[in-house]
Amino acid sequence: MTAETGTADMGRDFIRDIIQADLDAGRAASVVTRFPPEPNGFLHLGHAKSICLNFGVAREFGGKCHLRFDDTNPVKEEQLFIDSIQRDVRWLGFDWGENLYYASDYFEQLYAWAEHLIETGHAYVDDTPPEAMRAQRGTLTEPGQNSPFRYRTPAENLDLFRRMRAGEFPNGACVLRAKIDMTSGNMNLRDPVLYRILHAHHPRTGDTWCIYPTYDFAHGQSDAIEGITHSVCTLEFEDHKPLYDWLIGHLPVPAQPKQYEFARLNVSYTVLSKRILTTLVRDGHVSGWDDPRMPTLAGFRRRGVPPAALREFVSRVGVARANSVVDVAMLDSAIRDTLNPVAPRRMAVLRPLKLIIENYPEGQTETLEAINHPDHPALGVRPITFGREIYVEQDDFMENPPKKFYRLSPGKEVRLRYGYFVTCREIIKDDAGQVTALRCTYDPATKGGNAPDGRKVQATLHWVAAADAVEAEVRLYTHLFARPDPGADGDVMADINPASLDVLTGCLVEPALASAATDTTVQFERTGYFVADPDGIRERPVFNRTVGLRDTWAKVQATGR
RNA sequence: UGGGGUGUCGCCAAGCGGUAAGGCAACGGAUUUUGAUUCCGUCAUUCGGAGGUUCGAUCCCUCCCACCCCAGCCA
């Protein structure tokens, strides 16, 4: 199954065990799940976990997964988000087919059920002001007090509720509450609000309603209407389950869906809170919802992270009920693992250092051949230009190298990938003493990178020819937050990493990169994975670093110094 | 001091009474025209703690400890 669908095998978890058991015992004939986002922001990594779980489970068990917008709060929801969510779910690799729904599609039915609750004496209209209601609700350790409006007759409640719908009252004047138990240890059962007055324009229903159902009243009933068999949500809704069941049990709904909870995803150095992500966008800390540093699906897409990498990551993390914080290194690893076998290799010099090959004929250039992928000959080769002047990475040269430095240094010979062996002969510095160029000699016999005499070099450097290199801008991104647990000290914004973006200009890339597609992540050899950003123009492409290559040398430098 | 949850390697996470999977990270070593990849190898006598039941417990019982969620007319 997993093999033929080509998706990551999520393995086994308690949700799948429950579903399997329900299927085996005949408690469910088939599986129907749903992914229920509220359209008040962009989808992020946390949603990816839920999407992979809900759609993945449906696919694995031959069932279906609905995409249902939980659009019950018009003051926060927008069409822009409804559109972005659909795009992102598809991008992640899932399809809801004909099953696109909106909780707002059920407003009329939900309203009818609300009247049913009133008629059966299980709901009442309460005029208590918000502050007073909060006081009456009691605390975590003290029971609440019954509202004085709790004893209104069904007839009176029905009249009031209809007038609420008719728009006779202003926002906040009253609400419809379920009549359950003000002394319950579960706060959700202390006569929860079912409907509130909101004179607001809804992106779907416009101005036809001025009262809207709350999450609790809309969610479970929507599940029942759609025949959802397994309503999977995160742990914080666990306390809502008794209410979810109470409503299902007191209403003439067509099905009895069951809710199951799993732990939401947390990742180190990252924030997965729609509220905070919204703030980052709103206050301009990032360029937008799709800023490559954002943990949003749109952000990952722009950063060059393939959807398969996200699926792989989610699969590796697993599904359980224990709160945890996944090391962001696990994400990077999943990204590298999915990119490495498919990303075309290219050469790009981020911080150029000119290298003049003295014994190479002036004005001459030649064409060499570079392999597109070391493990896949089928991906072919491409021509690259070699000439008297080329550029290498500044990091690949050291005037006074430490013992373990394999790269270029005075008198040392290295290989230019797919080119020749070159030896550093002389350092050229400016008045300030900065190295501006290196004079080298090359060995004509080593064309292609092999020495006929079997001579070895310790390093192979990437490079670009001055003759046809294309100038580019490269944006290096690192964690948006400076600490593994942003906000742990109270203020998340104070933990924003001021160095999360390093813009490099004057970078030189091989010509093949001039017209790189924004949806194909490539590997800049020895540097990392990069993708063209839409900001780039033909004459001056822009690249975003998706993730760097594992760098053992950097580690050696950092520790063994 | 109310209700609901969770505690297995540095980080995730299997395990469901028979004597601790796997991944990430880390650390060795081999290969390498990317100090990448790949490849071998090391990495929990121990499962929050203390008792108990049992021939035998991470899995069952009791008590204790720690952490998370809940007092929106948000979802």
Side-chain angles (χ1 to χ4, degrees):
Chain A
M1 171 82 199
T2 36
E4 41 196 52
T5 54
T7 58
D9 177 5
M10 284 191 74
R12 221 52 201 187
D13 54 64
F14 77 98
I15 295 288
R16 276 169 249 255
D17 287 343
I18 288 170
I19 291 175
Q20 186 61 262
D22 286 346
L23 253 23
D24 293 344
R27 284 188 291 274
S30 66
V31 178
V32 184
T33 56
R34 104 270 89 118
F35 171 58
E38 180 191 13
N40 66 344
F42 274 54
L43 259 26
H44 55 62
L45 199 47
H47 293 111
K49 179 178 181 181
S50 176
I51 293 168
C52 289
L53 213 210
N54 282 297
F55 280 94
V57 141
R59 180 183 295 174
E60 290 160 35
F61 290 94
K64 55 183 184 175
C65 180
H66 300 177
L67 171 60
R68 181 174 76 233
F69 286 97
D70 232 326
D71 55 349
T72 59
N73 186 0
V75 319
K76 290 187 175 178
E77 299 150 7
E78 297 175 26
Q79 186 61 42
L80 162 72
F81 299 134
I82 291 177
D83 297 336
S84 75
I85 288 170
Q86 295 188 55
R87 178 188 184 191
D88 290 345
V89 171
R90 284 207 185 85
W91 176 77
L92 227 206
F94 298 98
D95 182 12
W96 53 88
E98 301 299 296
N99 306 298
L100 171 62
Y101 305 104
Y102 295 82
S104 55
D105 290 342
Y106 314 133
F107 281 175
E108 200 60 58
Q109 174 63 271
L110 291 170
Y111 177 84
W113 279 336
E115 286 205 346
H116 177 271
L117 237 30
I118 290 173
E119 288 162 353
T120 54
H122 292 300
Y124 62 99
V125 172
D126 193 339
D127 302 348
T128 307
E131 319 76 57
M133 194 178 291
R134 194 182 317 130
Q136 283 175 12
R137 188 151 31 229
T139 69
L140 296 178
T141 54
E142 304 161 37
Q145 302 297 315
N146 283 166
S147 162
F149 301 100
R150 199 175 202 256
Y151 310 98
R152 292 213 259 224
T153 65
E156 186 180 2
N157 284 318
L158 209 49
D159 173 59
L160 253 16
F161 189 48
R162 286 174 178 167
R163 288 167 61 192
M164 276 171 67
R165 174 178 185 170
E168 287 188 32
F169 312 115
N171 288 355
C174 51
V175 296
L176 179 73
R177 290 226 262 174
K179 188 187 289 187
I180 305 181
D181 178 10
M182 289 305 290
T183 70
S184 173
N186 182 336
M187 302 297 287
N188 294 116
L189 262 24
R190 319 244 267 222
D191 290 11
V193 171
L194 268 24
Y195 266 92
R196 73 285 212 190
I197 297 172
L198 249 32
H199 288 277
H201 187 81
H202 184 108
R204 300 275 308 170
T205 62
D207 299 309
T208 70
W209 295 87
C210 63
I211 59 172
Y212 292 89
T214 55
Y215 162 84
D216 287 307
F217 192 63
H219 203 88
Q221 282 51 256
S222 296
D223 283 343
I225 290 170
E226 294 176 20
I228 300 301
T229 56
H230 301 265
S231 184
V232 182
C233 61
T234 43
L235 252 30
E236 64 269 30
F237 290 100
E238 202 159 12
D239 290 343
H240 292 248
K241 183 152 55 184
L243 175 53
Y244 182 106
D245 293 338
W246 186 92
L247 288 167
I248 291 295
H250 289 262
L251 257 16
V253 293
Q256 277 66 48
K258 288 279 184 295
Q259 174 183 306
Y260 300 94
E261 316 82 19
F262 67 95
R264 70 185 315 147
L265 176 68
N266 292 299
V267 179
S268 61
Y269 295 97
T270 308
V271 152
L272 295 180
S273 150
K274 238 194 286 188
R275 197 195 98 246
I276 296 172
L277 294 180
T278 299
T279 302
L280 289 170
V281 172
R282 198 229 304 132
D283 295 350
H285 289 108
V286 293
S287 65
W289 285 99
D290 68 343
D291 184 298
R293 290 167 293 181
M294 289 285 274
T296 51
L297 300 194
F300 284 121
R301 177 167 56 231
R302 190 165 177 185
R303 213 228 281 182
V305 175
L310 261 21
R311 279 184 247 122
E312 173 63 17
F313 168 67
V314 165
S315 165
R316 293 183 187 185
V317 168
V319 179
R321 287 177 63 87
N323 292 109
S324 60
V325 180
V326 177
D327 190 337
V328 71
M330 218 193 270
L331 209 210
D332 293 340
S333 170
I335 294 172
R336 291 193 193 100
D337 287 354
T338 101
L339 246 20
N340 177 51
V342 300
R345 308 288 122 127
R346 293 290 182 268
M347 292 208 282
V349 176
L350 272 34
R351 298 178 180 81
L353 171 60
K354 182 182 285 186
L355 201 151
I356 301 163
I357 301 168
E358 306 175 322
N359 59 336
Y360 193 87
E362 214 146 341
Q364 178 183 313
T365 61
E366 66 183 297
T367 299
L368 301 173
E369 194 171 77
I371 291 166
N372 288 327
H373 192 110
D375 306 328
H376 305 301
L379 263 49
V381 298
R382 65 184 188 289
I384 53 174
T385 302
F386 186 79
R388 188 164 196 270
E389 291 192 357
I390 65 166
Y391 289 93
V392 296
E393 210 71 61
Q394 285 172 23
D395 284 353
D396 285 336
F397 171 77
M398 279 189 110
E399 184 170 4
N400 300 297
K403 43 283 147 208
K404 304 274 280 181
F405 189 77
Y406 302 157
R407 283 106 99 146
L408 211 52
S409 57
K412 181 131 181 187
E413 180 174 55
V414 299
R415 170 169 42 230
L416 292 178
R417 177 143 239 220
Y418 304 125
Y420 296 91
F421 280 15
V422 293
T423 303
C424 176
R425 303 298 181 188
E426 183 187 340
I427 302 174
I428 299 175
K429 297 180 180 178
D430 59 17
D431 297 338
Q434 289 296 308
V435 177
T436 58
L438 300 177
R439 298 189 78 86
C440 304
T441 54
Y442 84 116
D443 178 354
T446 58
K447 180 171 182 174
N450 287 306
D453 62 3
R455 188 161 27 113
K456 298 292 184 187
V457 290
Q458 275 190 122
T460 297
L461 312 186
H462 59 280
W463 54 277
V464 293
D468 66 355
V470 174
E471 190 172 325
E473 172 179 319
V474 173
R475 300 171 181 171
L476 303 179
Y477 301 96
T478 49
H479 310 143
L480 225 199
F481 291 91
R483 49 185 291 173
D485 51 352
D489 285 347
D491 183 10
V492 201
M493 294 304 151
D495 294 331
I496 290 178
N497 178 6
S500 60
L501 169 59
D502 187 7
V503 178
L504 264 33
T505 54
C507 304
L508 296 172
V509 304
E510 64 171 276
L513 249 14
S515 54
T518 58
D519 62 355
T520 301
T521 305
V522 302
Q523 182 194 96
F524 284 0
E525 295 213 50
R526 302 210 310 132
T527 306
Y529 295 95
F530 294 78
V531 70
D533 187 274
D535 279 354
I537 51 176
R538 192 52 166 259
E539 301 70 42
R540 189 160 165 290
V542 172
F543 292 93
N544 295 320
R545 179 172 66 192
T546 306
V547 63
L549 249 32
R550 188 170 272 105
D551 191 345
T552 307
W553 169 237
K555 206 181 306 177
V556 171
Q557 276 184 306
T559 51
R561 174 166 306 196

